[in-house]
Amino acid sequence: MSKHKVTFLPDEKEVEVESGTTLLQAAEQADIYINSLCGGEGLCGECRLQVVSGNAKPDKHTIGFLSRDEIQNGYVLACQTKVEDNLEVMIPAKSRLEEERIITEGAPLSYSEPEKVVLHRRPYDPASFFEPLVSKVYLELPEPNLEDNAADIDRIVRELRKKSRYSYFEISLACLQNLADKLRENGWKVTVTYARHNEIGRILEIEGGDTTEHNYGLAIDVGTTTVVIQLINIKTGKVIGVEASHNLQARYGEDVISRMVFVCGKGSLHPLHEAVIKNINNLTQTLSREKGVNIQNITAVVAAGNTTMSHFLLNLMPCSIRLEPYVPTATIYPQIIAKEIGININPQGILEVIPSVASYVGGDIVAGVLACGLADKPEIKCLIDVGTNGEIAIGNNEWIVCCSASAGPAFEGGGTRSGMRATKGAIEKLEITNGQVTYETIGKAKPRGICGSGLIDAIYELVRNNIIGPDGKFDLSRNDNRLVTEENDPSYILVFPEETETGEAITISESETANLIKSKGAVFAAIKSLSDYVGLTFEQLDTIYVAGGFGSSLNIPKAIAIGLLPDIDRQRIQFIGNSSVMGARMALLSAPAFEKAIDIAKKMTNIELSSYTPFMNEFVAALFLPHTDRSLFPSVHY
Amino acid sequence: MSKHKVTFLPDEKEVEVESGTTLLQAAEQADIYINSLCGGEGLCGECRLQVVSGNAKPDKHTIGFLSRDEIQNGYVLACQTKVEDNLEVMIPAKSRLEEERIITEGAPLSYSEPEKVVLHRRPYDPASFFEPLVSKVYLELPEPNLEDNAADIDRIVRELRKKSRYSYFEISLACLQNLADKLRENGWKVTVTYARHNEIGRILEIEGGDTTEHNYGLAIDVGTTTVVIQLINIKTGKVIGVEASHNLQARYGEDVISRMVFVCGKGSLHPLHEAVIKNINNLTQTLSREKGVNIQNITAVVAAGNTTMSHFLLNLMPCSIRLEPYVPTATIYPQIIAKEIGININPQGILEVIPSVASYVGGDIVAGVLACGLADKPEIKCLIDVGTNGEIAIGNNEWIVCCSASAGPAFEGGGTRSGMRATKGAIEKLEITNGQVTYETIGKAKPRGICGSGLIDAIYELVRNNIIGPDGKFDLSRNDNRLVTEENDPSYILVFPEETETGEAITISESETANLIKSKGAVFAAIKSLSDYVGLTFEQLDTIYVAGGFGSSLNIPKAIAIGLLPDIDRQRIQFIGNSSVMGARMALLSAPAFEKAIDIAKKMTNIELSSYTPFMNEFVAALFLPHTDRSLFPSVHY
């Protein structure tokens, strides 16, 4: 077979590929990540590239994704275009999977010492006891003599029992090998690292001398869209760094369904598993470098994610999750050595994954319930976690029901032309007054797009200014230079091209608005269905916690006004940011909290909305701003 | 560096080595095992080879090991001779580590269904309950539906609980990976293999369909001299094959002390570990081939050995075992995946090692105590395990004391010119009447040497015929053509050269007799010291069990008559063969028996004879046939 050279611009990365390779595969070889929401199926039209030299034509089946101008300018879909010539290809900024970090200032990614918040709020609760999953204990052992010549490991366990709540310890063979020399070379002074493993202490490592100062852990939120890692000093319980990045699985599909279709259709789970491991290792490396922490001293990882993400992380086949009757391989996951799945920390360090409830109610919501304290007291509370999948839990210390509804990626910045994740340059706050748009961007940068919280503001402002009606339709009779119509889809220009980083306008169209209404409708319908199911009105909910990756803040009155959140006293709604990573950290620092997560998962009753008839009616009724039934939103007036 | 070719005869194995390599190393490269009791230190003189072509001279320091005839005929010590020329070297039969199997007919290696004996003897005892360490259970699971969509693994555990005594199961990640497909492809019919792991069931493997017919285990006695393996059908409990071979560690030293000196002096544990793993894998392969058992269906291994052997097996440094205060790394060993240390069975199969008591009281004696039922009833019994190390236990269901004494390899056929292990051609029974020697050999073959039981007979017959006195000295005044003296050491010809397989006479010399007297004296002194220690006379011992690798049978009256065993009613002494492998098998087939082994190890009190003053006096007093104190042997009359 002949080979061809492909040069990717603007970075001039070159790669040589076999004739017949697709441009998407070529980009992958060049380590360039291209947006491909459908997993390379030619269905999403996201992977547009511009061929600037060499012969390559768009596939006739995909030509519908491209405008006439684009075709004339050499645009093709990377996944459907085969390399048959030496090519130079320009990658438009929008087609690149953004590699830069999600900004970690602001609420969602850097709560200020939330472990203290937790301790303050519920000092009565064992789940707030400081008892890390992995501990280091320094021992000074008495030297053996003929009267006391117990085996080396027995001598260690004898002392360890005095300093630990465990009476039985298990030990790996690796720890026993060379133990004799280690004890004698270090004058019988050693540090033992052990993990809670059910009711047993599991000895992970025995080091010479006192190394108790160096014990670190990772709390990870494995989101469909975003992976967030906190580096935690296990000895002090303090978060010493946070990093986040886009889930590299995005190239195989934007949501869990399309990723499962990719895996189960083509039969290869491996690339999805590898992608998230790469995410974790990259972020860990960055954190360890920035904070001067040796990776060998990271002894524990707790990860929380939805059930599909947990399966991908552990390299478990997800295919039966997708199809009725929606059965995962496991909901409670074994404690494993993190290295087993390629996580690069101390080779004896452990990984625990927060348990799931069911195929579509994952460890992220369990972690969230743990974190917000929903399961602690008799008052009935509600947690709404708006990710790519919206998950709702209602309950108290005795019962919890939960459900999930596909919200789509809109609130995480996906699925709209100008939508972006909550990174630098994203509009997160927005106001329209007298035809003037004012906004704030993350990092005070030139605007590049708009993230979830900005979109909520935008929809609200468009209705308030009568630019769109409560049905989401644009008022085309207005005389407004920001109103334009392209290919039958009216849209509103939020930021003109000359003000943006990319030189392209930031807009929101009628079809996109319809999608956002569907997203908010699905979330609201889920909340409504679930509270109806347990026979409660919104007024009977003591508190509603809202979690998710909207942006660094969320304007709660506006979120109510568009009908995303129930119309109750604003004081009773609390935006808590990323509750998944918060719960993971609690579990890392407190074995009782981890046990509680297991209890929560076992206690939660999952209501399968797809087989719950009233949900569909609620959904249809919610496809309006704020809702077709205005009596549900008595305080909302535009 | 120049290279030279070395050809080993009679097999004509060729190998090319660097100039300066020793002949012993060259043999190792050619995969030829040469006897080297001292570990290649030039101290034992066992590794004689005959150089038949090419230049090689004996090292001047080792010349004392060789007779003038030998030097003239080109004999050298392999370990002290460097290759500086192309050589042809003849390996005398005696220098080869015999590779052929130890004969497995006869008592010690093929008890007839002893698991039934066990069950008959003690039906009251939980340790005789049939409850294998690893079980296979066939499950037909209900298919999931929307009302019952528990996770796959939960569905399995739910059914498993009904068929097992465990309520909690742990599972490896490997078992979860691909579980979803396995269940669906096999119509929800699977076989679960699980191991007892403390009080938890540890799921090792999940296979499609019903594979419960195929579940095998290995019971292994890792002896200093001999490795014995029984292949057991775990489903029926039946022993379906037995194989044994010499411990390949012998080339690093004959006893545990010299092997530890090798490891701790040169700092390399690896070759010792590798050697025993090679033993196990070779024997397993032979058994699996002969019995048509797929190695993948071997799911469990239980090994028993002395503390040093257990350390070598698990790749644990033994150096602190050897030196005061005699501390092993561990006495209770973790359950591991056998593959971790290179044992080639099912990759998820487990290895349990029978716990030890102390550095010189190992799992072999614990297994023996388990097997003979010493710890079951109030009657006080005694177990004497005569291996390279003699180990004694006295006790009942409430207490057990034990001790060990170095017996040397004499009773296992080592350390004497004509001594050999209990393999084909070994004289195992012998009588001298009117100057005529009659004998029986193992396998009815032409005699090649004499094994432990034959040596006991020989000593007895020599005394009875007044050829040696009670002090072991030869009566040189006799006119007997079998009496010869060479280099000041008189010896008696048991078999003339023309009758033997090797063409060399089978003899026993005065110095060898002195060694045998030391060996039997050490064993008897240990028994006497231990019973004195607990204030018991021999008459108060209900039963004495004698275990060990003497040969396929042991003449108990003759063993008493030379003063090896106490002079009690012969009916109360029972030869039980290899009690170590018997105990290992019991533990394999019965989790309560394995637990009991742990209890036994914890309960046993070790008396360190090296620091127990009366022992030395007892030893000196026992250096006589049968003993200096004839009142201890009232029934013995020559």
Side-chain angles (χ1 to χ4, degrees), chain A residues 24 56-57 78 121 132 135 151 169 208 271 294 311 333 417 429 466 634 638:
Chain A
L24 189 64
K57 290 235 170 86
R121 208 171 63 228
S135 305
F169 288 87
N294 186 337
H311 276 56
Y333 309 97
R417 183 180 276 256
K429 290 183 183 171
N466 299 313
Y638 286 106

Side-chain angles (χ1 to χ4, degrees), chain A residues 310-581:
Chain A
S310 299
H311 276 56
F312 285 152
L313 174 64
L314 294 171
N315 214 3
L316 302 177
M317 281 303 268
C319 306
S320 56
I321 288 179
R322 190 170 63 90
L323 305 168
E324 213 183 278
Y326 317 114
V327 178
T329 294
T331 52
I332 296 179
Y333 309 97
Q335 181 183 93
I336 64 167
I337 299 300
K339 189 188 166 193
E340 263 189 72
I341 55 166
I343 294 179
N344 188 19
I345 57 166
N346 181 308
Q348 306 299 327
I350 60 153
L351 167 70
E352 290 275 15
V353 176
I354 299 284
S356 307
V357 176
S359 280
Y360 291 104
V361 185
D364 45 359
I365 192 81
V366 171
V369 167
L370 176 70
C372 72
L374 184 146
D376 293 352
K377 290 192 175 178
E379 294 85 357
I380 296 164
K381 300 177 179 180
C382 175
L383 171 64
I384 303 169
D385 189 0
V386 185
T388 312
N389 222 25
E391 293 174 324
I392 325 287
I394 295 179
N396 63 5
N397 58 347
E398 292 192 341
W399 57 269
I400 307 169
V401 293
C402 62
C403 68
S404 67
S406 177
F411 293 120
E412 293 183 283
T416 54
R417 183 180 276 256
S418 296
M420 67 180 284
R421 286 113 183 186
T423 64
K424 196 170 167 186
I427 295 174
E428 55 169 352
K429 290 183 183 171
L430 185 140
E431 232 181 86
I432 305 176
T433 309
N434 301 328
Q436 294 304 307
V437 181
T438 54
Y439 53 82
E440 288 179 22
T441 62
I442 297 179
K444 316 264 181 239
K446 259 186 130 173
R448 299 175 59 224
I450 183 163
C451 70
S453 54
L455 282 167
I456 289 171
D457 284 10
I459 298 285
Y460 170 79
E461 297 293 332
L462 288 172
V463 185
R464 192 174 66 88
N465 286 278
N466 299 313
I467 300 162
I468 62 174
D471 57 357
K473 296 283 175 210
F474 278 66
D475 176 6
L476 300 175
S477 66
R478 289 172 67 94
N479 180 12
D480 191 332
N481 67 335
R482 289 177 181 263
L483 257 183
V484 291
T485 297
E486 198 177 84
E487 292 174 17
N488 269 334
D489 192 14
S491 69
Y492 187 82
I493 298 172
L494 295 168
V495 187
F496 288 104
E498 48 275 24
E499 284 179 50
T500 69
E501 175 72 28
T502 57
E504 284 183 35
I506 294 170
T507 62
I508 182 164
S509 75
E510 192 170 271
S511 64
E512 290 170 347
T513 304
N515 269 333
L516 280 161
I517 291 175
K518 278 188 205 158
S519 290
K520 76 94 192 169
V523 172
F524 184 80
I527 305 169
K528 183 71 168 54
S529 299
L530 196 65
S531 56
D532 283 353
Y533 184 87
V534 294
L536 291 171
T537 65
F538 295 143
E539 284 307 318
Q540 290 172 301
L541 299 175
D542 181 74
T543 312
I544 293 180
Y545 298 104
V546 183
F550 299 99
S552 57
S553 66
L554 175 68
N555 186 315
I556 287 170
K558 292 185 182 177
I560 293 173
I562 69 162
L564 171 67
L565 300 177
D567 185 8
I568 64 171
D569 175 10
R570 279 83 182 125
Q571 299 302 315
R572 278 161 50 216
I573 303 186
Q574 223 178 297
F575 178 56
I576 58 172
N578 187 334
S579 61
S580 174
V581 77

Side-chain angles (χ1 to χ4, degrees), chain B residues 138-149:
Chain B
Y138 174 61
L139 303 175
E140 299 195 352
L141 305 169
E143 278 197 39
N145 54 51
L146 276 179
E147 278 66 53
D148 169 22
N149 61 0

Side-chain angles (χ1 to χ4, degrees), chain A residues 145 149-154 168 170-171 173 176-177 184 197-198 314-316 320 325 327-331 334 341, chain B residues 145 149-154 168 170-171 173 176-177 184 197-198 314-316 320 325 327-331 334 336 341:
Chain A
N145 54 50
N149 61 359
D152 288 341
I153 186 62
D154 295 342
Y168 188 83
E170 64 176 25
I171 186 160
L173 190 60
L176 287 178
Q177 287 164 349
R184 286 160 185 83
H197 188 222
N198 306 314
L314 294 171
N315 214 3
L316 302 177
S320 56
V327 178
T329 294
T331 52
I341 55 166
Chain B
N145 54 51
N149 61 0
D152 288 342
I153 187 62
D154 294 342
Y168 188 83
E170 66 176 23
I171 185 159
L173 190 60
L176 288 178
Q177 286 164 349
R184 285 158 186 84
H197 189 221
N198 306 315
L314 294 171
N315 216 3
L316 303 177
S320 55
V327 178
T329 294
T331 53
I336 64 166
I341 55 165

